[in-house]
Amino acid sequence: QVQLVQSGAEVKKPGASVKVSCKASGYTFTSYGISWVRQAPGQGLEWMGWISAYNGNTNYAQKLQGRVTMTTDTSTSTAYMELRSLRSDDTAVYYCARLVVGAIDYWGQGTLVTVSS
Amino acid sequence: QSALTQPASVSGSPGQSITISCTGTSSDVGSYNLVSWYQQHPGKAPKLMIYEGSKRPSGVSNRFSGSKSGNTASLTISGLQAEDEADYYCCSYAGSSSYVFGGGTKLNDL
């Protein structure tokens, strides 16, 4: 069965960076993209971007351009999302998810990132 | 891109039907048949309920259906059940390998 298992919760200070991992299993990793979606406390879902696990091509949401980097390690079927220059409004649950054409069909369990001084 | 527009909340009673709208623009919802809908219970990850506007993944009840007209997509839930009480989000492909979510709709009073 398809599973996406994310790394644990993080607490970071403003200005720091965070890197969240997402290990995939149960399918051919390089046949799908990985999307990252975040959800601030009590708020809606926000699409952050996606990466092709096949060739590493990426597309990031305009508001995060320059602060976010998505990568994959095909040898371990793991995707990574790094967010830099953290601010308090980056506090959110970060989800990785498998991207099919036009939809996200499997989600990780989420990783809470708290930015606080 | 701007978020797609959804009503903040809708109410229903067991057995009734409700429809949640999702309004975008000619650059997203109106241009592509790639609207998806997600159900999210508190503290849980979202679950795919509808993809490509009207298709249901395996295992999703046929009480859930999707449609689109112009720049507005809709999710209809018929025969409401208590477990349908959740937040619902629409999402559309917006071109150039980008996506945009709606603000979410809370279905309550079940």
Side-chain angles (χ1 to χ4, degrees):
Chain A
Q1 73 283 21
V2 174
Q3 280 195 302
L4 298 169
V5 179
Q6 301 182 220
S7 50
E10 304 261 13
V11 179
K12 296 292 183 181
K13 294 193 182 302
S17 299
V18 69
K19 192 169 186 177
V20 179
S21 67
C22 169
K23 184 168 177 60
S25 61
Y27 71 98
T28 301
F29 183 66
T30 52
S31 295
Y32 296 85
I34 293 288
S35 187
W36 291 86
V37 177
R38 69 179 181 178
Q39 186 171 35
Q43 302 301 308
L45 302 173
E46 179 185 10
W47 183 78
M48 299 179 65
W50 78 285
I51 180 168
S52 166
Y54 173 71
N55 59 17
N57 287 349
T58 56
N59 190 50
Y60 304 136
Q62 199 165 6
K63 69 175 288 188
L64 296 173
Q65 290 271 3
R67 287 206 301 138
V68 67
T69 301
M70 298 175 188
T71 56
T72 59
D73 180 345
T74 56
S75 68
T76 60
S77 299
T78 303
Y80 299 91
M81 186 283 300
E82 181 179 32
L83 189 61
R84 300 175 294 279
S85 301
L86 288 168
R87 310 187 289 245
S88 57
D89 62 355
D90 292 317
T91 294
V93 174
Y94 288 75
Y95 293 102
C96 67
R98 191 175 81 165
L99 185 65
V100 294
V101 175
I104 293 170
D105 62 351
Y106 287 93
W107 297 70
Q109 83 275 20
T111 296
L112 175 62
V113 175
T114 303
V115 183
S116 174
S117 55
Chain B
Q1 305 94 339
S2 299
L4 307 176
T5 300
Q6 299 181 232
S9 65
V10 296
S11 299
S13 300
Q16 286 186 332
S17 294
I18 61 96
T19 296
I20 299 171
S21 62
C22 169
T23 300
T25 70
S26 58
S27 296
D28 38 61
V29 175
S31 284
Y32 307 96
N33 200 25
L34 292 174
V35 174
S36 52
W37 289 90
Y38 303 86
Q39 176 191 65
Q40 186 181 35
H41 288 108
K44 301 294 187 181
K47 175 186 176 183
L48 178 64
M49 306 301 286
I50 296 288
Y51 67 100
E52 292 181 12
S54 61
K55 297 180 180 179
R56 278 187 309 276
S58 174
V60 172
S61 170
N62 60 9
R63 298 186 298 105
F64 291 82
S65 61
S67 63
K68 190 187 89 166
S69 177
N71 296 338
T72 298
S74 298
L75 173 72
T76 297
I77 311 173
S78 59
L80 281 172
Q81 300 179 0
E83 60 261 35
D84 298 334
E85 189 163 296
D87 293 327
Y88 292 86
Y89 294 90
C90 61
C91 180
S92 176
Y93 181 68
S96 301
S97 298
S98 69
Y99 292 80
V100 60
F101 279 97
T105 298
K106 181 177 292 293
L107 172 57
N108 50 27
D109 286 347
L110 289 173

